[in-house]
Short mmCIF file of all heavy atoms in Angstrom, two decimals:
data_model
loop_
_atom_site.label_atom_id
_atom_site.label_comp_id
_atom_site.label_asym_id
_atom_site.label_seq_id
_atom_site.Cartn_x
_atom_site.Cartn_y
_atom_site.Cartn_z
N ASN A 1 -18.30 68.27 -59.34
CA ASN A 1 -17.77 66.87 -59.04
C ASN A 1 -16.42 66.97 -58.36
O ASN A 1 -16.25 66.91 -57.11
CB ASN A 1 -17.73 66.03 -60.33
CG ASN A 1 -17.37 64.61 -60.04
OD1 ASN A 1 -17.28 64.13 -58.88
ND2 ASN A 1 -17.11 63.87 -61.07
N THR A 2 -15.38 67.07 -59.16
CA THR A 2 -14.03 67.14 -58.66
C THR A 2 -13.57 68.52 -58.25
O THR A 2 -13.76 69.43 -59.00
CB THR A 2 -13.05 66.52 -59.68
OG1 THR A 2 -13.48 65.18 -60.04
CG2 THR A 2 -11.62 66.45 -59.06
N MET A 3 -12.94 68.61 -57.07
CA MET A 3 -12.31 69.84 -56.68
C MET A 3 -10.85 69.46 -56.34
O MET A 3 -10.57 68.30 -55.99
CB MET A 3 -13.03 70.50 -55.48
CG MET A 3 -14.47 70.86 -55.81
SD MET A 3 -15.17 71.76 -54.40
CE MET A 3 -14.38 73.41 -54.58
N GLY A 4 -9.99 70.46 -56.40
CA GLY A 4 -8.61 70.11 -56.08
C GLY A 4 -7.72 71.33 -56.00
O GLY A 4 -8.18 72.49 -56.06
N TRP A 5 -6.45 71.01 -55.79
CA TRP A 5 -5.44 72.07 -55.64
C TRP A 5 -4.26 71.74 -56.61
O TRP A 5 -3.85 70.62 -56.76
CB TRP A 5 -4.88 72.08 -54.20
CG TRP A 5 -5.90 72.55 -53.21
CD1 TRP A 5 -6.70 71.84 -52.48
CD2 TRP A 5 -6.14 73.96 -52.89
NE1 TRP A 5 -7.53 72.63 -51.65
CE2 TRP A 5 -7.17 73.91 -51.92
CE3 TRP A 5 -5.65 75.17 -53.32
CZ2 TRP A 5 -7.69 75.11 -51.36
CZ3 TRP A 5 -6.14 76.34 -52.72
CH2 TRP A 5 -7.16 76.27 -51.77
N TYR A 6 -3.83 72.79 -57.25
CA TYR A 6 -2.64 72.76 -58.13
C TYR A 6 -1.69 73.81 -57.65
O TYR A 6 -2.09 74.78 -56.91
CB TYR A 6 -3.04 72.96 -59.57
CG TYR A 6 -3.84 71.88 -60.18
CD1 TYR A 6 -5.13 71.65 -59.81
CD2 TYR A 6 -3.29 70.98 -61.14
CE1 TYR A 6 -5.91 70.56 -60.38
CE2 TYR A 6 -4.04 69.94 -61.70
CZ TYR A 6 -5.33 69.79 -61.30
OH TYR A 6 -6.12 68.75 -61.84
N ARG A 7 -0.44 73.68 -58.01
CA ARG A 7 0.55 74.68 -57.65
C ARG A 7 1.52 74.96 -58.76
O ARG A 7 1.77 74.13 -59.59
CB ARG A 7 1.29 74.25 -56.34
CG ARG A 7 2.19 73.06 -56.53
CD ARG A 7 2.75 72.61 -55.18
NE ARG A 7 3.69 71.45 -55.30
CZ ARG A 7 4.12 70.84 -54.26
NH1 ARG A 7 3.91 71.23 -53.04
NH2 ARG A 7 4.98 69.79 -54.51
N GLN A 8 2.13 76.14 -58.68
CA GLN A 8 3.02 76.59 -59.69
C GLN A 8 4.17 77.30 -58.97
O GLN A 8 3.97 78.31 -58.39
CB GLN A 8 2.40 77.46 -60.75
CG GLN A 8 3.38 77.77 -61.93
CD GLN A 8 2.65 78.36 -63.10
OE1 GLN A 8 1.55 78.91 -62.98
NE2 GLN A 8 3.29 78.27 -64.27
N ALA A 9 5.39 76.72 -59.11
CA ALA A 9 6.55 77.29 -58.46
C ALA A 9 7.36 78.03 -59.62
O ALA A 9 7.14 77.78 -60.82
CB ALA A 9 7.44 76.20 -57.95
N PRO A 10 8.22 78.95 -59.21
CA PRO A 10 8.98 79.66 -60.23
C PRO A 10 9.81 78.75 -61.16
O PRO A 10 10.42 77.79 -60.69
CB PRO A 10 9.96 80.54 -59.34
CG PRO A 10 9.27 80.68 -58.12
CD PRO A 10 8.52 79.44 -57.84
N GLY A 11 9.65 79.04 -62.46
CA GLY A 11 10.33 78.18 -63.46
C GLY A 11 9.70 76.84 -63.74
O GLY A 11 10.33 76.08 -64.47
N LYS A 12 8.56 76.54 -63.16
CA LYS A 12 7.93 75.24 -63.37
C LYS A 12 6.56 75.43 -63.86
O LYS A 12 5.90 76.47 -63.75
CB LYS A 12 7.92 74.50 -62.04
CG LYS A 12 9.27 74.08 -61.53
CD LYS A 12 9.13 73.22 -60.27
CE LYS A 12 10.49 72.77 -59.78
NZ LYS A 12 10.33 71.91 -58.59
N GLN A 13 6.05 74.37 -64.49
CA GLN A 13 4.68 74.31 -64.94
C GLN A 13 3.72 74.09 -63.74
O GLN A 13 4.16 73.58 -62.70
CB GLN A 13 4.44 73.21 -65.95
CG GLN A 13 5.25 73.36 -67.24
CD GLN A 13 4.68 74.35 -68.18
OE1 GLN A 13 3.63 75.00 -67.90
NE2 GLN A 13 5.24 74.51 -69.37
N ARG A 14 2.50 74.44 -63.90
CA ARG A 14 1.48 74.15 -62.93
C ARG A 14 1.33 72.67 -62.77
O ARG A 14 1.19 71.94 -63.79
CB ARG A 14 0.16 74.84 -63.22
CG ARG A 14 -0.82 74.82 -62.12
CD ARG A 14 -2.13 75.55 -62.44
NE ARG A 14 -1.82 76.98 -62.64
CZ ARG A 14 -2.76 77.96 -62.84
NH1 ARG A 14 -4.03 77.64 -62.83
NH2 ARG A 14 -2.40 79.17 -63.04
N GLU A 15 1.29 72.13 -61.56
CA GLU A 15 1.16 70.71 -61.34
C GLU A 15 0.12 70.37 -60.36
O GLU A 15 -0.25 71.18 -59.49
CB GLU A 15 2.51 70.17 -60.84
CG GLU A 15 2.91 70.67 -59.46
CD GLU A 15 4.16 70.04 -58.94
OE1 GLU A 15 4.85 69.22 -59.67
OE2 GLU A 15 4.55 70.32 -57.78
N LEU A 16 -0.39 69.16 -60.50
CA LEU A 16 -1.38 68.69 -59.54
C LEU A 16 -0.81 68.51 -58.14
O LEU A 16 0.34 68.08 -57.99
CB LEU A 16 -1.83 67.29 -59.98
CG LEU A 16 -2.69 66.44 -59.01
CD1 LEU A 16 -4.12 67.00 -58.93
CD2 LEU A 16 -2.73 65.02 -59.38
N VAL A 17 -1.53 68.92 -57.16
CA VAL A 17 -1.19 68.69 -55.75
C VAL A 17 -2.10 67.52 -55.21
O VAL A 17 -1.66 66.52 -54.72
CB VAL A 17 -1.29 69.89 -54.86
CG1 VAL A 17 -0.99 69.60 -53.41
CG2 VAL A 17 -0.37 71.00 -55.41
N ALA A 18 -3.36 67.78 -55.29
CA ALA A 18 -4.38 66.83 -54.81
C ALA A 18 -5.71 67.12 -55.38
O ALA A 18 -6.02 68.28 -55.64
CB ALA A 18 -4.42 66.79 -53.28
N THR A 19 -6.50 66.09 -55.60
CA THR A 19 -7.89 66.32 -56.01
C THR A 19 -8.83 65.38 -55.17
O THR A 19 -8.37 64.35 -54.57
CB THR A 19 -8.11 65.95 -57.51
OG1 THR A 19 -7.82 64.60 -57.73
CG2 THR A 19 -7.27 66.79 -58.37
N ILE A 20 -10.07 65.73 -55.14
CA ILE A 20 -11.08 64.94 -54.43
C ILE A 20 -12.39 64.99 -55.16
O ILE A 20 -12.78 66.07 -55.54
CB ILE A 20 -11.18 65.43 -52.93
CG1 ILE A 20 -12.15 64.57 -52.18
CG2 ILE A 20 -11.56 66.87 -52.88
CD1 ILE A 20 -12.18 64.77 -50.69
N THR A 21 -13.01 63.89 -55.31
CA THR A 21 -14.30 63.83 -56.00
C THR A 21 -15.40 64.12 -54.97
O THR A 21 -15.15 64.13 -53.74
CB THR A 21 -14.58 62.48 -56.66
OG1 THR A 21 -14.70 61.49 -55.65
CG2 THR A 21 -13.44 62.11 -57.59
N ARG A 22 -16.64 64.26 -55.47
CA ARG A 22 -17.76 64.47 -54.57
C ARG A 22 -17.93 63.31 -53.60
O ARG A 22 -18.40 63.44 -52.48
CB ARG A 22 -19.00 64.71 -55.39
CG ARG A 22 -20.20 65.17 -54.53
CD ARG A 22 -21.39 65.53 -55.45
NE ARG A 22 -22.52 66.04 -54.68
CZ ARG A 22 -22.64 67.28 -54.25
NH1 ARG A 22 -21.74 68.19 -54.55
NH2 ARG A 22 -23.73 67.60 -53.51
N ALA A 23 -17.59 62.13 -54.09
CA ALA A 23 -17.74 60.91 -53.28
C ALA A 23 -16.60 60.73 -52.30
O ALA A 23 -16.67 59.79 -51.41
CB ALA A 23 -17.85 59.67 -54.19
N GLY A 24 -15.55 61.55 -52.38
CA GLY A 24 -14.42 61.43 -51.48
C GLY A 24 -13.25 60.70 -51.94
O GLY A 24 -12.34 60.41 -51.12
N ASN A 25 -13.16 60.35 -53.20
CA ASN A 25 -11.99 59.72 -53.76
C ASN A 25 -10.87 60.72 -53.87
O ASN A 25 -11.05 61.78 -54.49
CB ASN A 25 -12.29 59.03 -55.06
CG ASN A 25 -13.41 58.00 -55.01
OD1 ASN A 25 -14.48 58.19 -55.54
ND2 ASN A 25 -13.23 56.98 -54.18
N ARG A 26 -9.67 60.36 -53.45
CA ARG A 26 -8.57 61.34 -53.43
C ARG A 26 -7.41 60.88 -54.25
O ARG A 26 -7.13 59.64 -54.42
CB ARG A 26 -8.09 61.51 -51.97
CG ARG A 26 -9.13 62.11 -51.08
CD ARG A 26 -8.67 62.03 -49.60
NE ARG A 26 -9.48 62.79 -48.70
CZ ARG A 26 -10.61 62.36 -48.15
NH1 ARG A 26 -11.07 61.13 -48.43
NH2 ARG A 26 -11.31 63.13 -47.32
N VAL A 27 -6.73 61.83 -54.91
CA VAL A 27 -5.50 61.63 -55.63
C VAL A 27 -4.46 62.70 -55.11
O VAL A 27 -4.83 63.78 -54.98
CB VAL A 27 -5.71 61.79 -57.15
CG1 VAL A 27 -4.34 61.70 -57.84
CG2 VAL A 27 -6.65 60.67 -57.66
N TYR A 28 -3.20 62.16 -54.87
CA TYR A 28 -2.14 63.07 -54.40
C TYR A 28 -0.95 62.95 -55.27
O TYR A 28 -0.62 61.87 -55.78
CB TYR A 28 -1.75 62.72 -52.94
CG TYR A 28 -2.74 62.93 -51.92
CD1 TYR A 28 -3.53 61.88 -51.44
CD2 TYR A 28 -2.94 64.17 -51.35
CE1 TYR A 28 -4.52 62.10 -50.40
CE2 TYR A 28 -3.88 64.40 -50.32
CZ TYR A 28 -4.64 63.35 -49.88
OH TYR A 28 -5.61 63.53 -48.93
N GLU A 29 -0.30 64.07 -55.40
CA GLU A 29 1.01 64.08 -56.11
C GLU A 29 1.96 63.34 -55.13
O GLU A 29 1.88 63.47 -53.92
CB GLU A 29 1.48 65.50 -56.31
CG GLU A 29 2.70 65.64 -57.25
CD GLU A 29 3.99 65.66 -56.49
OE1 GLU A 29 3.98 66.09 -55.31
OE2 GLU A 29 4.98 65.18 -57.02
N ASP A 30 2.92 62.63 -55.69
CA ASP A 30 3.77 61.77 -54.89
C ASP A 30 4.58 62.46 -53.77
O ASP A 30 4.67 61.97 -52.65
CB ASP A 30 4.81 61.01 -55.80
CG ASP A 30 4.17 59.95 -56.62
OD1 ASP A 30 3.04 59.49 -56.29
OD2 ASP A 30 4.83 59.47 -57.58
N SER A 31 5.01 63.68 -54.01
CA SER A 31 5.85 64.36 -53.12
C SER A 31 5.10 64.91 -51.88
O SER A 31 5.71 65.22 -50.83
CB SER A 31 6.63 65.50 -53.75
OG SER A 31 5.77 66.56 -54.07
N VAL A 32 3.80 65.00 -51.96
CA VAL A 32 2.99 65.45 -50.83
C VAL A 32 2.28 64.33 -50.14
O VAL A 32 1.67 64.55 -49.04
CB VAL A 32 1.97 66.54 -51.28
CG1 VAL A 32 2.64 67.61 -52.09
CG2 VAL A 32 0.82 65.92 -52.07
N LYS A 33 2.35 63.13 -50.69
CA LYS A 33 1.57 62.04 -50.07
C LYS A 33 2.15 61.78 -48.65
O LYS A 33 3.35 61.67 -48.40
CB LYS A 33 1.76 60.75 -50.92
CG LYS A 33 0.91 59.63 -50.48
CD LYS A 33 1.05 58.42 -51.42
CE LYS A 33 0.17 57.23 -51.00
NZ LYS A 33 0.30 56.13 -51.95
N GLY A 34 1.21 61.61 -47.70
CA GLY A 34 1.62 61.44 -46.32
C GLY A 34 1.77 62.73 -45.55
O GLY A 34 1.89 62.68 -44.31
N ARG A 35 1.85 63.86 -46.26
CA ARG A 35 2.05 65.13 -45.60
C ARG A 35 0.80 66.03 -45.75
O ARG A 35 0.45 66.75 -44.85
CB ARG A 35 3.24 65.88 -46.10
CG ARG A 35 4.55 65.16 -45.91
CD ARG A 35 5.76 65.96 -46.28
NE ARG A 35 5.76 66.31 -47.71
CZ ARG A 35 5.70 67.56 -48.22
NH1 ARG A 35 5.66 68.56 -47.41
NH2 ARG A 35 5.74 67.76 -49.50
N PHE A 36 0.17 65.92 -46.89
CA PHE A 36 -0.97 66.78 -47.22
C PHE A 36 -2.22 65.93 -47.12
O PHE A 36 -2.25 64.74 -47.47
CB PHE A 36 -0.90 67.42 -48.55
CG PHE A 36 0.20 68.44 -48.73
CD1 PHE A 36 1.14 68.69 -47.74
CD2 PHE A 36 0.20 69.21 -49.91
CE1 PHE A 36 2.13 69.68 -47.90
CE2 PHE A 36 1.24 70.17 -50.08
CZ PHE A 36 2.17 70.40 -49.15
N THR A 37 -3.32 66.57 -46.71
CA THR A 37 -4.62 65.90 -46.76
C THR A 37 -5.65 66.86 -47.40
O THR A 37 -5.77 67.99 -46.98
CB THR A 37 -5.06 65.54 -45.36
OG1 THR A 37 -4.12 64.70 -44.69
CG2 THR A 37 -6.42 64.80 -45.36
N ILE A 38 -6.38 66.35 -48.37
CA ILE A 38 -7.44 67.07 -49.04
C ILE A 38 -8.76 66.58 -48.49
O ILE A 38 -8.96 65.45 -48.24
CB ILE A 38 -7.34 67.01 -50.58
CG1 ILE A 38 -8.34 68.04 -51.19
CG2 ILE A 38 -7.60 65.59 -51.03
CD1 ILE A 38 -8.15 68.15 -52.69
N ALA A 39 -9.63 67.54 -48.28
CA ALA A 39 -10.99 67.22 -47.80
C ALA A 39 -11.98 68.19 -48.37
O ALA A 39 -11.65 69.22 -48.89
CB ALA A 39 -11.02 67.23 -46.24
N ARG A 40 -13.26 67.87 -48.28
CA ARG A 40 -14.25 68.80 -48.76
C ARG A 40 -15.57 68.71 -47.93
O ARG A 40 -15.84 67.74 -47.29
CB ARG A 40 -14.56 68.53 -50.21
CG ARG A 40 -15.25 67.27 -50.52
CD ARG A 40 -15.34 67.02 -52.04
NE ARG A 40 -16.31 67.93 -52.73
CZ ARG A 40 -16.46 67.97 -54.04
NH1 ARG A 40 -15.73 67.20 -54.84
NH2 ARG A 40 -17.35 68.81 -54.57
N ASP A 41 -16.27 69.80 -48.01
CA ASP A 41 -17.56 69.89 -47.40
C ASP A 41 -18.58 70.13 -48.54
O ASP A 41 -18.61 71.30 -49.07
CB ASP A 41 -17.67 71.00 -46.39
CG ASP A 41 -18.95 71.10 -45.65
OD1 ASP A 41 -20.02 70.66 -46.20
OD2 ASP A 41 -18.96 71.58 -44.50
N ASN A 42 -19.31 69.10 -49.00
CA ASN A 42 -20.13 69.21 -50.12
C ASN A 42 -21.26 70.25 -49.89
O ASN A 42 -21.70 70.91 -50.82
CB ASN A 42 -20.74 67.86 -50.48
CG ASN A 42 -19.73 66.92 -51.05
OD1 ASN A 42 -18.70 67.35 -51.63
ND2 ASN A 42 -19.94 65.63 -50.90
N ALA A 43 -21.74 70.30 -48.69
CA ALA A 43 -22.85 71.23 -48.38
C ALA A 43 -22.40 72.71 -48.59
O ALA A 43 -23.20 73.53 -48.90
CB ALA A 43 -23.35 71.05 -47.00
N LYS A 44 -21.12 72.93 -48.31
CA LYS A 44 -20.59 74.30 -48.44
C LYS A 44 -19.89 74.50 -49.77
O LYS A 44 -19.42 75.64 -50.02
CB LYS A 44 -19.66 74.60 -47.32
CG LYS A 44 -20.32 74.61 -45.95
CD LYS A 44 -19.27 74.97 -44.83
CE LYS A 44 -19.96 75.01 -43.47
NZ LYS A 44 -18.90 75.28 -42.43
N ASN A 45 -19.78 73.50 -50.60
CA ASN A 45 -18.97 73.57 -51.79
C ASN A 45 -17.57 74.14 -51.51
O ASN A 45 -17.05 75.00 -52.21
CB ASN A 45 -19.70 74.44 -52.85
CG ASN A 45 -20.68 73.59 -53.71
OD1 ASN A 45 -20.46 72.40 -53.94
ND2 ASN A 45 -21.77 74.19 -54.10
N THR A 46 -16.98 73.60 -50.46
CA THR A 46 -15.70 74.07 -50.08
C THR A 46 -14.66 72.90 -50.00
O THR A 46 -15.03 71.80 -49.52
CB THR A 46 -15.79 74.69 -48.65
OG1 THR A 46 -16.67 75.85 -48.74
CG2 THR A 46 -14.43 75.18 -48.21
N VAL A 47 -13.49 73.18 -50.47
CA VAL A 47 -12.42 72.17 -50.42
C VAL A 47 -11.30 72.74 -49.57
O VAL A 47 -10.98 73.91 -49.56
CB VAL A 47 -11.93 71.83 -51.83
CG1 VAL A 47 -11.30 72.96 -52.57
CG2 VAL A 47 -10.97 70.65 -51.83
#
């Protein structure tokens, strides 16, 4: 269903970057909104 990206910087906890559902609903972390775009190819199971 949901695929996404998280990141972990030195000295910080792992945090959400972006997620996308199979239907294409997207969620972005505030600092990347407008700069990052998440997409997926369901046939390839690739995000």
Side-chain angles (χ1 to χ4, degrees):
N1 184 11
T2 304
M3 300 186 74
W5 293 93
Y6 293 71
R7 66 187 180 187
Q8 187 167 20
K12 295 185 178 181
Q13 299 281 4
R14 189 175 299 186
E15 66 176 4
L16 169 76
V17 178
T19 63
I20 182 169
T21 69
R22 189 173 182 86
N25 303 117
R26 296 168 170 87
V27 173
Y28 293 99
E29 192 270 331
D30 286 343
S31 70
V32 310
K33 188 176 181 180
R35 299 187 297 120
F36 292 9
T37 302
I38 189 169
R40 68 188 289 174
D41 184 333
N42 291 333
K44 296 180 179 180
N45 275 326
T46 300
V47 64

